[in-house]
Amino acid sequence: MRTQVAIVGAGPAGLMLAHLLRLRGVDAVVLERRSRDYVERRVRAGVLEHPTVELLREAGVAGRLDREGMPHHGISLRFDGADHRVALTDLTGKSITVYGQQEVVKDLIATRVGAGEPLLFEVSEVTVDPATPLVTFTDAEGTPQRLECDFVAGCDGSHGVCAAEVRGTVQAHDYPFAWLGVLAQAPPSHSELIYAYHERGFALHSMRTPEITRLYLQVAPDERIEDWPDTRIWDELGRRLAADGFTLATGPILEKGVTAMRSLVTEPMRQDRLFLAGDAAHIVPPTGAKGMNLAIADVWALSEALDAYYRVGRTDLLETYSDRCLRRVWRAEHFSWWMTSMLHQAPDADDFQRKLQLAQLRYVATSEAAATSLAENYVGLPFQR
């Protein structure tokens, strides 16, 4: 097999890169070890930044997003028993859109399959040679394959094969807590996202559709999901999200799980002709809603660089790809760390630290400058075109 760009991983990063390259006339083959059904069903992030939505529209894959997505013009910081709204659109002129990551993936898969472009699911034994470059794998029928290419895009996550091929520096930070997340068949209890600071720990109220709510609780990193029956989850959410005039809507819990929180950045984000994007290169705690949006920003920059290479022979954008992406990555890492530190209860926190957190929250709630800084980062910084 021969192609111009081999893309390992059919998450939002790999699929969006393949689509952007197709629009620019660059051939690509996408490889994914999971089945199509698994990829389309796995629940991940659900907040799309303004630049992400704009890019999906420019790329012609936002039809269902525009029909079913839920635009939000603010978020609530809940503390001291009340909501303190950060008016995103009033402060920045931009908004966010709630639309599940798996829905973005479904849209991109449908577009690629509909165009008859190569997208291979259930491959195994994938190996990558960054220098040649060459990708070998076994296809779904059990036949060994060799995929020769000009470049490899590693979009297969932090546990994939591509990240291990980069001889760089990995900066990592583990947080002393995790999130217990649930997907519930219940209407949202509030029109916007609620970030709740509480003495028992952080809680987040989000949503996926007008009928499905996504909720999170701060728990210990070693928490066992078996110790959290549905009644305990709803009771704890009710305590942490309590506020005057607020009623928490409940319903059957469809999914639940515990996710550890960590930060990770690989520098550089490339090795020879292998370029990393998304979780293969960096991970952020979910508090700032940056994970999928960073992945989309990465592949936009990579598609631009590959387009310049094939169209006019330019190599400078490929050579500076890592540096350009890492500026945005570290900004997002800092914002996510800041939001996490401000809202969560550390296991060893004393009264001094808790009063510092409340002082910061009250400052954001009462200072237009502080609220604007949060809003600007939350809605997403513009792509450097």
Side-chain angles (χ1 to χ4, degrees):
M1 299 175 68
R2 181 78 174 86
T3 191
Q4 291 174 303
V5 182
I7 301 174
V8 183
L15 292 167
M16 188 64 182
L17 176 61
H19 182 67
L20 293 173
L21 292 177
R22 184 175 76 85
L23 294 178
R24 290 173 159 132
V26 178
D27 293 332
V29 173
V30 183
L31 308 175
E32 170 57 47
R33 68 187 182 93
R34 301 283 195 172
S35 68
R36 176 175 178 176
D37 181 68
Y38 178 90
V39 171
E40 291 186 336
R41 286 178 179 270
R42 58 184 170 190
V43 177
R44 293 291 188 272
V47 174
L48 303 186
E49 293 178 348
H50 179 81
T52 298
V53 172
E54 290 299 295
L55 181 60
L56 290 168
R57 287 174 178 153
E58 289 175 17
V61 287
R64 197 161 67 93
L65 162 65
D66 285 332
R67 292 192 304 272
E68 301 177 14
M70 303 168 68
H72 284 216
H73 302 284
I75 62 171
S76 285
L77 300 178
R78 181 167 291 182
F79 62 94
D80 290 340
D83 280 334
H84 305 267
R85 186 171 186 264
V86 178
L88 302 175
T89 304
D90 291 346
L91 293 167
T92 67
K94 301 172 183 176
S95 62
I96 58 167
T97 301
V98 173
Y99 188 68
Q101 174 176 309
Q102 73 273 20
E103 304 305 324
V104 174
V105 166
K106 289 176 188 175
D107 296 340
L108 290 168
I109 288 176
T111 300
R112 187 159 185 83
V113 171
E117 296 291 336
L119 172 52
L120 308 182
F121 290 101
E122 298 182 76
V123 304
S124 59
E125 300 176 330
V126 179
T127 67
V128 174
D129 180 351
T132 307
L134 174 70
V135 179
T136 65
F137 63 97
T138 299
D139 65 23
E141 285 71 43
T143 305
Q145 301 283 358
R146 286 168 53 92
L147 178 58
E148 298 177 356
C149 52
D150 301 325
F151 301 97
V152 179
C155 305
D156 54 340
S158 60
H159 300 295
V161 299
C162 293
E165 295 295 332
V166 174
R167 297 188 298 274
T169 300
V170 177
Q171 307 278 357
H173 175 71
D174 292 319
Y175 293 83
F177 28 73
W179 276 13
L180 188 159
V182 301
L183 196 69
Q185 189 174 329
S189 308
H190 193 272
S191 60
E192 296 176 337
L193 278 74
I194 304 170
Y195 287 79
Y197 174 89
H198 193 273
E199 62 183 11
R200 295 177 63 90
F202 168 76
L204 172 62
H205 168 279
S206 183
M207 61 285 291
R208 287 296 177 268
T209 72
E211 297 81 29
I212 301 293
T213 303
R214 187 75 165 154
L215 304 118
Y216 297 93
L217 289 167
Q218 175 190 341
V219 296
D222 58 353
E223 201 78 31
R224 298 186 335 131
I225 195 64
E226 295 81 8
D227 295 333
W228 286 86
D230 293 3
T231 52
R232 183 186 177 192
I233 291 172
W234 286 120
D235 287 347
E236 192 62 26
L237 284 166
R239 277 190 285 268
R240 298 191 195 181
L241 290 168
D244 292 340
F246 177 78
T247 301
L248 178 63
T250 63
I253 291 180
L254 308 176
E255 296 179 16
K256 56 184 172 180
V258 175
T259 303
M261 298 182 68
R262 60 175 177 149
S263 292
L264 181 147
V265 180
T266 298
E267 300 185 76
M269 291 169 53
R270 65 169 295 185
Q271 181 69 46
D272 301 323
R273 288 181 167 241
L274 165 65
F275 294 82
L276 301 182
D279 285 359
H282 42 73
I283 296 172
V284 292
T287 323
K290 295 297 167 210
M292 177 174 62
N293 294 292
L294 278 179
I296 297 297
D298 287 346
V299 297
W300 178 85
L302 185 54
S303 68
E304 180 188 48
L306 290 167
D307 175 58
Y309 173 83
Y310 285 113
R311 188 164 40 83
V312 294
R314 283 179 60 183
T315 61
D316 57 312
L317 294 182
L318 287 170
E319 291 163 359
T320 60
Y321 164 76
S322 183
D323 290 339
R324 289 186 294 126
C325 287
L326 284 169
R327 289 195 193 100
R328 188 184 194 91
V329 167
W330 279 113
R331 174 86 291 275
E333 289 284 2
H334 180 271
F335 177 68
S336 299
W337 165 85
W338 177 74
M339 288 279 287
T340 302
S341 302
M342 180 173 63
L343 290 161
H344 290 72
Q345 297 286 348
D348 58 352
D350 56 21
D351 195 48
F352 178 81
Q353 291 169 294
R354 284 188 285 271
K355 288 185 182 299
L356 289 179
Q357 289 176 306
L358 282 169
Q360 181 63 48
L361 284 164
R362 289 165 183 155
Y363 177 57
V364 172
T366 57
S367 165
E368 183 174 336
T372 300
S373 178
L374 188 157
E376 182 181 58
N377 283 274
Y378 199 89
V379 301
L381 301 174
F383 295 152
Q384 293 184 346
R385 297 181 179 267

